């Protein structure tokens, strides 16, 4: 067994502090503290942006040391930060390109591998279907410079709208809720709001396990003088719900009914900030009419909660002066995701709890660089939070890239990831380029995904650092340089940008993702209108400068943040808090979206939007709760929710290779309520079978405090993949898949 002190003590010693004080420094380290040099970086194993230096000796990474001066972590590291860096030096990294030869992948060289991709690209581009044949499925784990380059080559080189990332599975709902309520993507709040708040509400967010350093900050406030009250909304028993003053263990898929009901109670008890509502919002009367349909008794019944607990929650939320909310996958991957996330925004707007120290919303991110996928347009969005329906925004990009506006896809909503997979299934997409994601484990309903990946007419490119389950289906596998082996920037959940510098050489012939995208653009000979190269930049800093120009004047303006500034520590774009002047990004010429219908996802037209005359006001957006598309039945009587555990990251390509982390949770399990277990003759530690209409997994039973009739399976394990069980369905607005909505049965293995 590897010694893993920080796995046993994940949050470390408390450093209590009081309201308005600065969070004390605590410098954590991992590995060998002796190094020849220290290179600035930050964590890529969650969205928190914990800043640390990478220690290097003899050309190898020897350890990590938290950065005391950084605004995000003030020196602290979480267990994955402490040990996870070891994955970079794994002996089974991809070191050479692989190409398909019959049913095998064989080692090759870059000329051959890129040659095959370019030949197929040209055939497809010149043939019927053209750009429509290309799909790019990227990540929330590359770097800003890489996304921007990918965005430009896809949007202005090939001209395809079929670009998205695993960010669709992750934070599409955060983006949608921010755009719809406030006019543009971009986190309103700041982590420093934890320092000032008097109440914390965690909506479907197991922050203790998923952003452990942010949790340390919350715990330190809870142990200091005048601690904030805490509400947790989660059907499971987690470290967060155990700490909370009020825990609402609601029935899964009922978030929207809950928040509507809480808002109704708050308004009824005089908790609305009428001045703020009148000056800074639109739609109060319509929202009021919606939430009035959610009286206490009805909400208690829908959500399966006690009316008294709902009242306690409403008192906590309605009585606070400085309320900070965080929202994550318990909302985003559940039923009516965007409507429920917007309902939390509604609550903050109605209470005037935004844009002040301690009063804010964090519509969280999950992956380390998800924010940048969205900003830089490596997903379907146009770079710089530009509005695809606004001809002026498209013209700005055309000018910047020196291409015709017709080249840039903007005639319909961008293709979302689930639709890209559908097109690949139906055969219209013929080249699918997958970078830094492992869909053969992470997408819903894996039996279907394997069928799509295996289609002979689909040319699959996989760009990864390891030979993953997805790589096995590839026609070409490109070996990428990992974190620590390349330079670039990325932005965390509270808009803090960090620089990560190359500390060591990549193994073998592995190349940075930036170098790979640039090489493809060069080989495809993408040109601008004057015959010059479409993508003239060479290295990360030049790519960053190109991005700075693209971001100028937009909400995510990076022009004042240079690499040299970032050497000293993380910097937030947009300043500490957005909207502190009460002016939201809803101006029709500035906004990122003209809005969507919360129930159907249908897009508004520019005329409809202008007619609302938002004038910098935020939108209050009400919607009614409806039952989820799959609910427990006689045959499948239990509600399955899937998610995470503190020591493992996603499909475990990294954490499964680090003994300290792997040992902590090497196999999957299912959490069951003791009564549900007893009914099935299941004891703690028994082998059980979890089965849905799509598939089955064998896992160990754990009897826990999860809500009755609800079971939880972590999704990290390729051999026991929770996604064998999940459904192909998504939120109509954000198009984020419903990973927390499925019905299963559990039986003891004989
Ligand atoms: N250790 C670790 N940390 C990570 C990651 C990781 O893989 N491992 N991944 C990172 C990424 S990409 C992401 S997106 C984040 C995700 O971070 P979280 O959102 O905190 O993680 P999850 O475990 O997916 O889901 C959170 C909770 O939602 C609850 N839940 C399920 N259904 C419902 C519901 O209907 N309503 C409510 N209110 N709650 C519900 C679950 O019980 C679960 O405890 O974590 C990031 N950090
Ligand atoms: N059932 C269920 N499914 C889920 C979820 C859930 O809660 N439940 N959560 C969803 C969410 S929120 C997310 S974010 C996804 C995550 O799902 P994935 O994106 O599939 O997860 P990872 O294992 O992080 O995959 C990232 C891949 O990138 C590779 N990689 C790492 N660094 C680099 C690099 O620098 N360059 C390149 N080219 N490759 C690199 C890794 O080796 C790995 O193969 O899963 C989603 N799926
Ligand atoms: Mo995520």
């Amino acid at each position: 067994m590897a010694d893993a002190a920080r796995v046993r003590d994940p949050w470390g010693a408390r450093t209590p502090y009081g309201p308005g004080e600065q969070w004390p420094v605590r410098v954590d380290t991992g590995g060998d503290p002796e190094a020849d040099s220290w290179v600035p970086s930050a964590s890529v194993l969650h969205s928190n942006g914990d800043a640390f230096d990478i220690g290097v000796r003899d050309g190898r990474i020897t350890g990590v040391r938290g950065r005391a001066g950084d605004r995000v972590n003030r020196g602290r590291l979480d267990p994955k930060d402490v040990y996870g860096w070891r994955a970079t030096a794994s002996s089974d990294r991809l070191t050479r390109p692989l190409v398909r030869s019959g049913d095998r992948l064989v080692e090759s060289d870059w000329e051959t591998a890129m040659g095959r991709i370019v030949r197929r690209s040209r055939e497809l581009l010149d043939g019927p279907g053209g750009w429509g044949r290309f799909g790019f499925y990227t990540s929330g784990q590359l770097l800003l410079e890489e996304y921007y380059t990918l965005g430009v080559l896809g949007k202005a080189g090939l001209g395809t709208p079929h670009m998205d990332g695993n960010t669709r599975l992750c934070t599409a709902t955060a983006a949608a809720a921010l755009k719809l309520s406030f006019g543009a993507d971009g986190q309103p709040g700041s982590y420093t709001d934890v320092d000032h708040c008097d109440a914390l509400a965690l909506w479907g967010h197991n922050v203790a396990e998923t952003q452990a350093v942010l949790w340390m900050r919350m715990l330190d406030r809870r142990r200091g003088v005048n601690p904030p009250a805490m509400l947790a909304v989660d059907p499971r028993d987690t470290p967060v719900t155990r700490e909370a003053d009020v825990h609402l263990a609601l029935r899964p898929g009922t978030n929207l009914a809950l928040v509507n009901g809480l808002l109704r109670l708050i308004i009824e008890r005089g908790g609305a900030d009428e001045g703020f509502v009148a000056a800074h919002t639109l739609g109060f009367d319509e929202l009021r009419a919606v939430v009035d349909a959610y009286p206490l008794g009805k909400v208690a019944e829908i959500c399966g909660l006690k009316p008294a607990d709902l009242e306690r929650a409403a008192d906590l939320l309605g009585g606070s002066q400085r309320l900070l909310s965080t929202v994550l996958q318990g909302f985003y991957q559940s039923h009516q995701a965007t409507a429920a996330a917007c309902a939390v925004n509604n609550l903050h707007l109605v209470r005037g709890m935004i844009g002040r120290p301690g009063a804010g919303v964090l519509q969280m991110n999950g992956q380390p660089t998800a924010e940048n996928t969205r900003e830089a347009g490596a997903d379907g969005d146009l770079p710089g939070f530009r509005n695809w329906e606004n001809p002026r925004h498209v013209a700005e990009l055309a000018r910047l890239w020196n291409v015709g506006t017709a080249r840039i896809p903007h005639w319909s909503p961008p293709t979302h990831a689930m639709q890209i997979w559908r097109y690949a299934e139906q055969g219209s997409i013929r080249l699918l380029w997958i970078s830094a994601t492992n869909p053969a484990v992470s997408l819903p309903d894996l039996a279907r995904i394997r069928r799509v990946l295996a289609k002979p007419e689909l040319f699959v490119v996989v760009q990864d650092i390891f030979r993953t389950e997805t790589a096995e289906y590839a026609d070409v596998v490109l070996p990428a340089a990992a974190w620590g082996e390349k330079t670039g920037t990325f932005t965390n959940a509270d808009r803090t940008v960090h620089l990560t510098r190359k500390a060591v050489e990549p193994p073998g012939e592995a190349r940075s993702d930036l170098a790979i995208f640039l090489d493809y653009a060069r080989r495809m000979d993408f040109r601008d209108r004057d015959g010059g190269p479409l993508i003239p930049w060479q290295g990360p800093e030049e790519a960053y400068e190109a991005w700075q120009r693209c971001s100028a004047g937009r909400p995510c303006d990076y022009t004042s943040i240079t690499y040299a500034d970032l050497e000293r520590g993380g910097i937030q774009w947009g300043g500490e808090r957005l909207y502190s002047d009460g002016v939201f990004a809803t101006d029709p010429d500035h906004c990122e979206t003209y809005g969507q219908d919360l129930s159907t996802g249908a897009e508004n037209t520019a005329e409809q939007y202008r007619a609302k005359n938002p004038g910098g006001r935020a939108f209050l957006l009400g919607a009614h709760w409806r039952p989820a598309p799959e609910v427990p039945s006689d045959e499948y009587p239990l509600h399955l929710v899937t998610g995470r555990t503190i020591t493992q990251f996603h499909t475990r390509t990294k954490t499964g290779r680090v003994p300290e982390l792997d040992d902590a949770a090497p196999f999957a399990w299912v959490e069951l309520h003791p009564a549900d277990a007893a009914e099935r003759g299941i004891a703690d530690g028994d082998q059980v079978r979890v089965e849905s209409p799509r598939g089955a997994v064998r896992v160990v039973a754990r009897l826990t405090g999860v809500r009755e009739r609800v079971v939880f399976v972590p999704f990290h394990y390729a051999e026991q993949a929770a996604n064998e069980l999940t459904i192909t369905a998504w939120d109509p607005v954000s198009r984020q898949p419903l990973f927390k909505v499925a019905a299963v049965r559990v039986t003891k293995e004989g």
Side-chain angles (χ1 to χ4, degrees):
M1 268 304 245
D3 176 48
R6 280 300 300 282
V7 168
R8 290 190 302 276
D9 179 21
W11 305 294
R14 295 281 55 77
T15 51
Y17 69 125
E21 292 171 12
Q22 197 178 43
W23 192 25
V25 167
R26 184 190 94 190
V27 175
D28 297 348
T29 60
D32 186 349
E34 298 302 316
D36 295 339
S37 59
W38 292 94
V39 180
S41 189
S43 178
V44 289
L45 294 172
H46 47 72
S47 58
N48 209 50
D50 304 341
F52 53 78
D53 290 314
I54 306 175
V56 183
R57 188 157 13 107
D58 302 329
R60 294 176 65 86
I61 300 179
T62 57
V64 291
R65 184 178 67 192
R67 288 193 133 206
D70 198 272
R71 64 177 304 281
V72 168
N73 56 326
R74 314 256 310 140
R76 288 162 191 77
L77 301 177
D78 92 352
K80 287 193 276 70
D81 303 340
V82 169
Y83 306 109
W85 52 273
R86 292 189 195 279
T88 295
S90 301
S91 56
D92 59 347
R93 285 279 305 279
L94 285 169
T95 56
R96 296 183 63 188
L98 309 175
V99 296
R100 180 153 300 280
S101 166
D103 58 4
R104 290 188 316 131
L105 286 167
V106 295
E107 287 207 344
S108 180
D109 53 63
W110 281 99
E111 257 333 286
T112 309
M114 292 305 284
R116 284 201 190 185
I117 300 172
V118 168
R119 199 169 336 114
R120 179 55 71 99
S121 297
R122 286 201 184 291
E123 275 166 26
L124 292 172
L125 199 54
D126 297 341
W131 51 257
R133 296 296 194 197
F134 293 78
F136 289 85
Y137 182 54
T138 190
S139 184
Q141 297 177 46
L142 296 181
L143 301 173
L144 173 56
E145 296 76 1
E146 297 169 339
Y147 294 131
Y148 184 55
T149 305
L150 175 61
V152 179
L153 85 78
K155 290 186 163 74
L158 294 164
T160 180
H162 308 325
M163 304 188 82
D164 204 356
N166 63 5
T167 44
R168 186 65 56 184
L169 324 181
C170 184
T171 53
T173 302
L178 294 172
K179 290 184 209 179
L180 292 177
S181 296
F182 309 130
D185 197 345
Q187 192 67 266
S190 165
Y191 285 172
T192 51
D193 289 331
V194 177
D195 310 347
H196 298 278
C197 66
D198 66 7
L200 270 165
L202 300 138
W203 307 93
H205 185 194
N206 183 11
V207 56
E209 299 199 58
T210 58
Q211 282 92 5
V213 168
L214 181 57
W215 180 240
M216 295 172 202
R217 196 169 193 145
M218 294 175 178
L219 276 185
D220 285 345
R221 274 299 316 280
R222 293 273 296 174
R223 300 292 172 270
V225 293
N226 297 325
M230 188 181 282
L231 165 71
V233 181
D234 192 315
R236 281 200 305 148
D237 184 22
T238 71
V240 173
T241 65
R242 287 192 284 275
E243 171 72 21
D245 303 303
V246 181
H247 172 200
L248 298 179
L250 80 180
R251 181 175 289 133
T254 64
N255 293 318
L256 182 57
L258 173 74
V259 188
N260 281 348
L262 291 173
L263 184 55
R264 184 187 156 280
L265 273 177
I266 290 167
I267 295 172
E268 193 181 81
R269 294 170 177 192
D273 180 339
E274 283 161 16
F276 188 91
V277 167
H280 302 297
T281 71
L282 274 171
F284 182 74
D285 293 340
E286 293 85 342
L287 175 65
R288 178 95 213 235
V290 170
V291 301
D292 273 348
Y294 296 82
L296 190 59
K298 180 174 162 187
V299 175
E301 198 183 305
I302 295 172
C303 302
L305 294 169
K306 294 197 192 85
D309 288 339
L310 290 168
E311 297 200 70
R312 286 170 65 213
D315 285 343
L316 188 154
L317 297 165
S320 82
Q321 301 306 308
R322 290 178 307 281
L323 170 67
L324 176 62
S325 281
T326 73
V327 191
L328 199 47
Q329 299 310 354
F331 271 50
Y332 300 168
Q333 294 176 340
S334 191
H335 175 53
Q336 294 183 298
T338 309
C342 285
V344 176
N345 293 342
N346 293 340
L347 196 155
H348 276 262
L349 289 165
V350 167
R351 292 229 54 230
M353 292 288 164
I354 193 159
R356 288 187 281 121
V361 188
L362 294 167
Q363 296 282 355
M364 291 295 296
N365 291 342
Q367 291 175 91
T369 75
E371 185 66 33
N372 309 110
T373 317
R374 279 144 53 186
E375 293 166 357
D379 60 1
D381 293 331
L382 294 181
F385 296 159
R386 285 180 174 83
N387 184 351
W388 61 269
E389 286 189 280
N390 185 332
R392 262 188 275 177
H393 287 191
V394 179
E396 268 171 28
L397 286 178
R399 245 190 333 272
L400 181 75
W401 297 335
N402 193 24
V403 298
T405 47
R407 174 66 70 83
I408 302 170
H410 66 281
W411 50 87
S412 64
T415 319
H416 60 94
M418 298 305 287
Q419 193 65 37
I420 291 177
W421 284 87
R422 180 77 84 217
Y423 289 157
E425 183 173 42
Q426 291 168 338
S428 70
I429 285 181
R430 291 291 175 89
L431 188 155
L432 184 58
W433 190 321
I434 299 168
S435 48
T437 180
N438 190 9
V441 183
S442 57
L443 279 176
D445 192 1
L446 289 178
R448 168 174 176 253
I449 298 305
R450 287 188 291 264
R451 278 198 304 277
V452 177
L453 283 167
K455 282 173 79 85
E457 67 274 25
L458 182 68
F459 188 88
V460 177
V461 180
V462 170
Q463 183 172 320
D464 208 290
I465 61 175
F466 293 109
R467 188 163 166 170
T468 60
E469 291 74 16
T470 308
E472 296 306 324
Y473 293 90
D475 292 280
V476 177
V477 179
L478 302 175
W483 167 91
E485 299 164 351
K486 59 181 183 178
T487 293
T489 55
F490 60 98
T491 306
N492 80 343
D494 89 334
R495 290 176 283 104
T496 305
V497 189
H498 284 112
L499 174 67
T500 180
R501 283 236 182 250
K502 176 173 172 175
V504 296
E505 289 301 324
E509 295 172 25
R511 291 182 184 171
S512 74
D513 296 278
L514 179 64
I516 296 171
F517 293 140
L518 288 173
D519 185 33
Y520 178 69
R522 188 181 54 74
R523 288 172 191 261
M524 288 298 287
D525 200 27
F526 294 132
R527 303 247 156 211
D528 67 15
R529 244 193 320 212
D530 299 322
L534 175 68
I535 300 180
W537 52 89
Q538 309 283 338
E541 193 157 3
E542 279 182 28
Y544 181 80
E545 286 161 4
W547 160 250
Q548 284 182 302
R549 290 190 288 278
C550 180
S551 73
R554 295 299 302 156
C556 52
D557 190 325
Y558 278 68
T559 50
S560 66
I561 304 173
T562 66
Y563 266 32
D565 301 330
L566 292 171
E567 289 276 357
R568 291 189 288 277
I571 302 171
Q572 285 173 294
W573 65 249
E576 191 170 15
R577 287 175 197 87
L578 304 185
Y579 315 130
S580 45
D581 54 0
V583 179
F584 294 88
T586 51
D587 182 279
D589 296 323
H590 186 65
C591 65
E592 189 180 2
T593 176
Y594 294 137
Q596 284 171 271
D597 183 283
L598 269 192
S599 302
T600 65
E603 320 267 339
N604 298 335
T605 64
E607 293 67 38
Q608 284 169 323
Y609 187 84
R610 283 181 191 277
K612 293 185 184 158
N613 192 21
R617 286 172 292 178
F619 294 104
L620 294 169
L621 299 163
H624 284 288
W625 176 80
R626 291 197 197 93
E630 185 166 290
V631 291
S633 60
D634 289 347
E635 215 183 333
Y636 299 100
L638 301 171
H639 191 126
L640 170 74
V641 302
T642 62
R644 295 162 166 76
T645 192
I646 186 161
T647 52
Q648 304 308 314
F649 184 64
H650 295 173
T651 73
R652 301 200 338 127
T653 65
K654 290 180 178 172
T655 51
R657 285 179 168 84
V658 175
E660 289 87 344
L661 298 172
D662 180 47
D663 286 353
F667 305 107
W669 66 92
V670 57
E671 294 181 12
L672 281 162
H673 187 276
D676 292 322
E679 206 178 293
R680 292 163 179 77
I682 294 168
D684 196 74
D686 281 352
Q687 279 287 339
V688 298
R689 182 177 163 85
V690 185
E691 211 174 340
S692 84
R694 273 85 40 199
V697 291
R698 285 187 71 225
V699 292
V700 167
R702 279 193 195 169
L703 274 46
T704 68
V706 65
R707 185 188 163 89
E708 263 187 86
R709 305 271 138 191
V710 178
V711 299
F712 170 86
V713 179
F715 85 102
H716 306 296
Y717 301 86
E719 313 273 286
Q720 303 163 287
N723 282 320
E724 305 292 350
L725 308 168
T726 46
I727 57 176
T728 301
W730 53 84
D731 179 64
V733 186
S734 67
R735 285 105 190 186
Q736 181 159 350
L738 308 186
F739 289 112
K740 291 174 169 52
V741 177
V744 294
R745 61 175 167 240
V746 180
T747 44
K748 191 172 162 161
E749 289 270 90

